[in-house]
Amino acid sequence: MRKGIIDAVRRRRRAGRALIIVLDGLDEAADTDARKRIARDLIRRLGNEAQRLGITVIVSCRSGIPASENEELIRLLGGSCVRVQADSEEYVSLEDFIAFAEARLLDHEDKMPIWRDEDRVVEIAEKVANAAYPVYLVAQLVTRSLIDDPNLTERELENRTFPRTVGEAFEEYLARFGDDEQKLRDLLAGLSHARGAGFTLGATWLEVVTCVSGRTYNEEDLNWLLRSGAAFLIETVATDEAPRYRLYHQALVDMLQEPEDAPAVYRLMLGRVAASADDGYLRTHLSGHAVAAGMISEFLLDPTAVTACDITVALRDAARAGRGISAAADKARLALSSVAFELETRPDSERRAYLSLAGHQYDVPSFRGRAEHSWWNAWYADWDVASEHMLVERGRPYTEVTVVKSGNDDLIVAADADGVVNFRWADDRAEAFSQLSLGAVITCLTASAAGDQFVVGVGTDIGDVYVWDSRHQTARRITQLDGSVTSISIRQRHQTRFEVLATSSDGSVEKQERSLTRRISRATGHIGIAAMSCCFVSARDTFIAVGTAGSGIKMLRHEDLSADSALGAPDAGYVDALYPARFAADQELSVVAAGTAAFGVWGLEFGFLREQFLDSSWSGRGSTLLPRK
């Protein structure tokens, strides 16, 4: 989408036409991830290129309290964004404000005869506007109250004092519901705790209402609210999902919420997780409720809570909390970062195992003992007893590491839990190159060398693929895949030319041939299942190998990286470890693979797929293959 918009802008510029791009309601996109992607990947990059492209980009977003989600969205727009408080007298014309109130009243002349007198409407609109100016929300609430009041009289209008603040306007509107005012307040107060697109019409909403009000309601009451109080609601309908509802303005949320209610709502949500009563809402928003309740530390240390959530969203919410988390919870955050990809993609039993492992590695007692079976056994390990061992570095949690050899030098490349890549010489532990900070969760790392030239490939949880080289010592973002990057392979052609192969959790496969400064060629494809590992084969350029999440190995042709052209080796099951090899001189290509169903060598021989099982009873999911030099 981003590339298409930028291309369209360039075409318009070449045509000599000025362009202003307006995006209204950034904070009202479908979900948290969508809002974040739009802010970071579309608007920010458009804004960074605005001067060069000759465009102006205008974005509207409700501002919030410090550390709120809306403030985080505004921060993601970048340093080139000029922030304007639009509801101030400097930017709001009183004449426009009066015209807004007048148009709203005239638009409803069919409701009551009083609104058919245009001169009288203009007079009332001026009174409303003079009181509400410069806040449009106040004018909107007041005119809505006037339009919906069936008992409004000329005498009342003559003597009426119109509200000047959102609070006054809201109270005036609620008062017209008479005996039902308390019910309306309670139902809206419950909804004020909804995050993202909001609650569905059902148990979660009703239980929150009872939690904050102490009174019990049913779905018939919610349907009454949809008929009577719809002016306060935003309805979002996603494909194949029930409609979700939330309050349409943050100011209403601020008025209806009591600070002491947030911890009780979080504990209620946690209980729904334990009872497996989630309708899809809690997976994305439980951590947000923990932040709102000031209980993010308790959340991070609770294995039931963290394994029930979208871990990427949970870690983002933890980062937003900043210094508000305890030292023990910060250990838990680092532990979760180290196994974030596994917690998102593995079956439940393996997620518990990875959480247990992280608990032992980072000293988080509450995470230990979650594994029902021991997954941490080494298969086919060939241990050499060395006379000397060396600790390269300690004190930081590392999530990915690789070693590349050039001549007599071994370069250790390691990524830590904060998205920083470090480069160390293995012989003397000295820093080889300056740190590389990407500011994202690093999911895979690979390195290659030709002569004294090193090339490093880095993949992140948001699909970005970077290439760093030792000559320029800068990282270039070469592509963005649709899912989290699961594996990268680099094959060096010569000192300044190489190939990059990358796969993602949504099944995307991309291969690029590059020089150090530019792309020479590109091929993309999709294999229809999550791709977990990849490698260039050691012989001809005809094929590459990709390990999948359940369909074994797929041999893909270089010129057509799609499932349609693949030769399959499904017997390996789930394959997350691949390494190119030759076990027969006359084979065109072969690959060593470790999967859930087998450990062995698969290859092509004169156009036919051959296999050599080293162990057909293998059960080594999560294994790592390392070549012996």
Side-chain angles (χ1 to χ4, degrees):
M1 179 180 71
R2 180 182 67 251
K3 183 178 184 299
I5 290 176
I6 291 178
D7 287 346
V9 169
R10 285 173 177 156
R11 287 195 299 271
R12 192 177 183 93
R13 186 190 180 197
R14 285 195 295 268
R17 290 177 285 180
L19 185 64
I20 298 175
I21 297 176
V22 179
L23 191 147
D24 183 34
L26 171 62
D27 53 310
E28 297 177 13
D31 56 58
T32 299
D33 286 341
R35 292 190 284 274
K36 185 176 178 181
R37 286 196 303 272
I38 293 170
R40 181 196 60 220
D41 295 340
L42 176 60
I43 302 172
R44 182 172 183 166
R45 291 182 179 174
L46 273 174
N48 289 340
E49 296 193 50
Q51 187 172 3
R52 183 174 61 82
L53 294 174
I55 63 173
T56 300
V57 182
I58 300 173
V59 184
S60 74
C61 176
R62 288 191 295 263
S63 60
I65 58 175
S68 70
E69 182 179 327
N70 288 352
E71 288 296 314
E72 172 69 8
L73 283 176
I74 294 170
R75 186 191 66 77
L76 285 174
L77 296 177
S80 62
C81 172
V82 177
R83 184 166 176 169
V84 171
Q85 195 70 28
D87 56 351
S88 65
E89 295 184 13
E90 181 181 359
Y91 297 103
V92 179
S93 160
L94 180 59
E95 290 74 18
D96 290 343
F97 204 82
I98 294 172
F100 169 78
E102 182 182 330
R104 283 183 58 80
L105 294 175
L106 287 173
D107 193 43
H108 294 276
E109 60 183 17
D110 57 323
K111 286 207 168 187
M112 290 186 65
I114 192 173
W115 306 125
R116 295 173 191 163
D117 183 345
E118 189 170 338
D119 292 337
R120 187 73 174 113
V121 167
V122 171
E123 181 183 338
I124 296 168
E126 287 181 353
K127 289 183 177 181
V128 170
N130 284 323
Y133 181 75
V135 182
Y136 276 96
L137 177 59
V138 177
Q140 185 176 354
L141 287 171
V142 173
T143 52
R144 169 56 63 184
S145 179
L146 293 173
I147 292 163
D148 289 348
D149 188 349
N151 302 313
L152 188 65
T153 65
E154 279 282 359
R155 180 184 292 270
E156 183 180 352
L157 278 174
E158 190 67 35
N159 300 320
R160 191 162 185 163
T161 301
F162 291 105
R164 295 182 176 275
T165 67
V166 174
E168 291 175 1
F170 187 58
E171 291 295 331
E172 181 184 82
Y173 188 84
L174 292 181
R176 57 174 289 271
F177 283 85
D179 293 341
D180 288 327
E181 180 181 348
Q182 187 62 57
K183 176 167 70 171
L184 182 63
R185 284 182 181 275
D186 290 346
L187 296 177
L188 292 176
L191 189 61
S192 72
H193 291 272
R195 305 182 70 83
F199 294 147
T200 56
L201 200 71
T204 300
W205 188 350
L206 291 170
E207 288 183 22
V208 173
V209 170
T210 300
C211 177
V212 301
S213 71
R215 287 174 282 273
T216 302
Y217 296 95
N218 55 39
E219 283 199 28
E220 184 177 337
D221 295 310
L222 295 181
N223 284 315
W224 170 84
L225 174 65
L226 298 187
R227 295 191 301 271
S228 305
F232 298 115
L233 309 181
I234 288 177
E235 178 181 356
T236 302
V237 181
T239 305
D240 299 327
E241 289 186 9
R244 293 187 177 273
Y245 301 91
R246 62 182 175 91
L247 295 181
Y248 86 101
H249 203 285
Q250 182 64 36
L252 303 181
V253 173
D254 295 340
M255 284 188 298
L256 287 163
Q257 277 191 6
E258 297 294 338
E260 62 270 18
D261 288 339
V265 171
Y266 171 65
R267 287 189 287 270
L268 168 68
M269 297 296 184
L270 200 57
R272 289 186 63 78
V273 168
S276 301
D278 185 20
D279 61 0
Y281 171 85
L282 292 177
R283 174 167 169 75
T284 303
H285 298 297
L286 182 61
S287 57
H289 282 285
V291 172
M295 300 175 70
I296 189 65
S297 292
E298 291 85 343
F299 166 83
L300 289 169
L301 291 164
D302 187 336
T304 300
V306 296
T307 53
C309 288
D310 181 324
I311 196 64
T312 303
V313 174
L315 289 172
R316 182 213 63 205
D317 287 337
R320 279 173 37 207
R323 297 179 181 177
I325 63 176
S326 65
D330 196 45
K331 283 185 180 180
R333 179 185 67 83
L334 294 173
L336 293 168
S337 297
S338 72
V339 292
F341 178 72
E342 287 74 19
L343 293 179
E344 284 294 319
T345 59
R346 308 290 184 171
D348 187 56
S349 61
E350 287 191 44
R351 293 166 66 213
R352 291 195 297 270
Y354 275 100
L355 190 64
S356 174
L357 177 65
H360 286 283
Q361 289 176 318
Y362 291 84
D363 189 26
V364 185
S366 59
F367 290 175
R368 299 173 189 166
R370 298 284 296 172
E372 296 175 354
H373 308 286
S374 175
W375 292 83
W376 314 115
N377 297 319
W379 292 71
Y380 294 91
D382 184 6
W383 299 105
D384 288 329
V385 179
S387 59
E388 181 180 344
H389 297 277
M390 179 177 63
L391 182 65
V392 176
E393 186 171 332
R394 65 181 301 167
R396 294 176 67 84
Y398 287 91
T399 57
E400 298 287 333
V401 65
T402 188
V403 180
V404 60
K405 191 176 188 66
S406 176
N408 295 321
D409 296 325
D410 287 331
L411 177 67
I412 301 172
V413 186
D416 65 27
D418 293 321
V420 177
V421 182
N422 300 267
F423 305 90
R424 297 273 182 180
W425 296 121
D427 55 355
D428 59 3
R429 291 172 288 177
E431 185 177 77
F433 306 101
S434 298
Q435 288 182 337
L436 170 64
S437 180
L438 297 178
V441 177
I442 295 173
T443 54
C444 54
L445 195 64
T446 190
S448 181
D452 60 354
Q453 178 72 41
F454 296 100
V455 177
V456 175
V458 185
T460 72
D461 64 325
I462 57 174
D464 288 332
V465 178
Y466 295 89
V467 168
W468 173 96
D469 68 88
S470 56
R471 176 181 296 181
H472 299 92
Q473 295 188 37
T474 57
R476 289 181 173 82
R477 180 178 174 275
I478 65 169
T479 191
Q480 184 178 44
L481 303 179
D482 287 336
S484 176
V485 182
T486 53
S487 64
I488 299 178
S489 183
I490 291 179
R491 178 163 64 176
Q492 204 83 36
R493 286 298 194 183
H494 49 72
Q495 195 158 351
T496 61
R497 201 165 193 172
F498 56 92
E499 291 175 300
V500 183
L501 177 63
T503 63
S504 76
S505 56
D506 84 319
S508 298
V509 182
E510 181 164 332
K511 182 180 77 74
Q512 292 189 18
E513 184 176 357
R514 301 187 62 85
S515 68
L516 294 180
T517 57
R518 66 184 182 88
R519 186 176 72 201
I520 298 169
S521 65
R522 177 178 183 237
T524 62
H526 199 283
I527 62 173
I529 189 172
M532 307 309 296
S533 53
C534 68
C535 70
F536 292 98
V537 295
S538 56
R540 302 178 184 176
D541 285 345
T542 312
F543 288 92
I544 61 174
V546 176
T548 69
S551 294
I553 303 166
K554 291 185 181 293
M555 300 286 193
L556 306 177
R557 297 182 183 277
H558 276 245
E559 67 274 12
D560 183 9
L561 304 181
S562 66
D564 295 337
S565 71
L567 292 173
D571 297 331
Y574 187 117
V575 178
D576 49 8
L578 284 175
Y579 191 76
R582 289 250 195 130
F583 68 93
D586 58 353
Q587 276 204 310
E588 296 179 16
L589 60 91
S590 59
V591 60
V592 180
T596 49
F599 168 48
V601 181
W602 283 262
L604 291 172
E605 188 174 3
F606 303 113
F608 295 96
L609 194 66
R610 303 296 177 96
E611 58 191 24
Q612 176 180 321
F613 290 110
L614 304 182
D615 187 344
S616 59
S617 62
W618 175 267
S619 181
R621 196 165 177 175
S623 306
T624 299
L625 291 177
L626 295 176
R628 183 169 182 174
K629 300 293 186 183

